[in-house]
Amino acid sequence: MTGLSTILIVVGLFLVGGIISFVKQKMPTSLIVLLSISAGLCLVAGVLRLEVWN
């Protein structure tokens, strides 16, 4: 596990926490969708950068 993959996964999980918080605060749906897309991209990029795929 490299440092960058760890950072991407941690940032992705942080954004997932933000999604949960924004849903509880009844923030606009477009903001929640944007946050969900960015969290998904961070998590996918972090998982794909793991060195277990070689």
Side-chain angles (χ1 to χ4, degrees):
M1 187 183 251
T2 63
L4 182 59
S5 63
T6 305
I7 290 172
L8 284 170
I9 293 172
V10 168
V11 168
L13 292 174
F14 178 77
L15 291 174
V16 168
I19 294 167
I20 294 169
S21 173
F22 281 12
V23 168
K24 286 183 180 178
Q25 294 179 26
K26 301 203 181 347
M27 297 294 269
T29 308
S30 59
L31 185 63
I32 295 171
V33 168
L34 182 64
L35 199 58
S36 320
I37 291 170
S38 60
L41 287 175
C42 280
L43 289 173
V44 167
V47 168
L48 287 178
R49 284 196 54 91
L50 290 176
E51 293 177 356
V52 296
W53 307 114
N54 292 333

